Amino acid sequence: MNLGSTIESPALRTSAAALRKFGLIGGTSWRSTVEYYSAINGAINRLHGDNTNPRLNVASVDQRRIHKAQSEDDWEAISDILRDAALELQLTGVEGLALCANTPHKVFDAIQAELHVPLLHIGDAVARECAGNGWNDVGLLGTRFTMEDGFLRDRLRHRHGIRTRVPAGPARRAIHRCVIDKLSVGDFDDEARALLGDQIEKLAAAGAEAVVLGCTEFPLLMEGSSCSLPLIDSLACHCDQIVRFIIGEA
């Protein structure tokens, strides 16, 4: 996905004063949060043809605390951490918010319920990319929560009519360990790349039309890799959705 390619029309150019102030809830991981910040600013720069930047406020949470709570299946604690970050950003006057990772969307509804500004869902952004390409049957790779729980798969299915396929149980567990033990600490090695590549080919054989990289570290890992299926970069899709909101299109 070429971020910004669909929003760089001069007709959509917005004065810097009219750009909506936006909040990013990051730190899960900080590496992908940096990609969010870079992609959003880059798209606005290209749209304006200069160095115009939007007001972006970032609240970065402690990923170690998040992972510990995940290992204890304590999603209430995770919801509390992310809710506090969202409320902190809301107090700064942001007009919209986003969780800068896929897995935190498991507690999306609980957080949105306490806000008076919209929280933009990464699943809706992925669905827009699928619709634009006519894909209704896609593979999904991510943490085991993203692959096994319904917070993303059900949203894609029930709101957008998109079926998702996931790897078999042992592969799901291997991918999850890869995310937690390697990618979250910046270890992007050939073994991890081969693991994802192998599962992409198996999803292709099962009938998937494309594969959603449903972990915001996966695009960094797979950059430059050759695959038999189109890869849907959930981070880029989310950033495109955020930019549209910032310029007032959505």
Side-chain angles (χ1 to χ4, degrees):
M1 178 183 182
N2 181 13
L3 176 62
S5 61
T6 59
I7 57 173
E8 291 179 8
S9 165
L12 295 177
R13 191 169 297 149
T14 308
S15 71
L19 295 175
R20 287 171 168 169
K21 187 177 180 181
F22 200 82
L24 301 174
I25 302 169
T28 55
S29 71
W30 67 261
R31 293 170 180 82
S32 57
T33 305
V34 169
E35 294 297 316
Y36 270 86
Y37 187 82
S38 174
I40 294 166
N41 277 289
I44 295 293
N45 287 172
R46 291 190 297 275
L47 181 63
H48 284 261
D50 56 26
N51 59 349
T52 297
N53 294 321
R55 284 293 306 276
L56 293 176
N57 288 0
V58 181
S60 188
V61 301
D62 181 356
Q63 189 178 35
R64 184 174 181 276
R65 288 182 64 200
I66 298 287
H67 282 180
K68 183 176 185 297
Q70 286 177 352
S71 69
E72 298 168 352
D73 201 29
D74 189 354
W75 289 94
E76 184 175 352
I78 294 170
S79 181
D80 289 345
I81 292 168
L82 297 175
R83 178 205 60 209
D84 289 348
L87 291 172
E88 174 187 319
L89 287 169
Q90 186 172 256
L91 287 173
T92 68
V94 298
E95 297 176 69
L97 291 163
L99 297 162
C100 296
N102 286 266
T103 301
H105 284 75
K106 183 175 171 72
V107 294
F108 176 94
D109 291 338
I111 298 170
Q112 179 65 88
E114 298 203 34
L115 300 173
H116 62 250
V117 299
L119 188 61
L120 304 189
H121 199 293
I122 199 167
D124 298 334
V126 166
R128 180 186 179 94
E129 179 72 2
C130 290
N133 289 280
W135 298 323
N136 298 306
D137 189 333
V138 299
L140 174 63
L141 300 176
T143 64
R144 68 178 178 87
F145 308 112
T146 299
M147 292 186 285
E148 295 176 0
D149 297 346
F151 62 90
L152 185 55
R153 300 186 72 186
D154 289 351
R155 194 175 185 98
L156 290 172
R157 180 70 168 179
H158 300 310
R159 291 201 176 206
H160 304 287
I162 299 170
R163 175 184 177 179
T164 53
R165 301 172 184 267
V166 298
R172 293 197 302 269
R173 291 189 288 274
I175 292 170
H176 182 80
R177 288 194 301 271
C178 175
V179 173
I180 301 301
D181 297 340
K182 291 186 176 183
L183 305 189
S184 69
V185 295
D187 186 3
F188 298 89
D189 63 13
D190 290 339
E191 182 181 9
R193 197 169 296 108
L195 172 63
L196 254 66
D198 179 60
Q199 293 307 311
I200 289 167
E201 298 310 313
K202 288 182 178 178
L203 290 167
E209 301 168 285
V211 173
V212 179
L213 298 181
C215 170
T216 47
E217 280 76 40
F218 286 171
L220 299 173
L221 175 67
M222 300 304 291
E223 186 175 4
S225 298
S226 178
C227 300
S228 63
L229 287 179
L231 301 181
I232 303 169
D233 183 340
S234 62
L235 187 155
C237 293
H238 208 192
C239 289
D240 184 80
Q241 179 191 40
I242 293 166
V243 170
R244 290 176 182 277
F245 182 88
I246 288 171
I247 66 176
E249 182 185 318

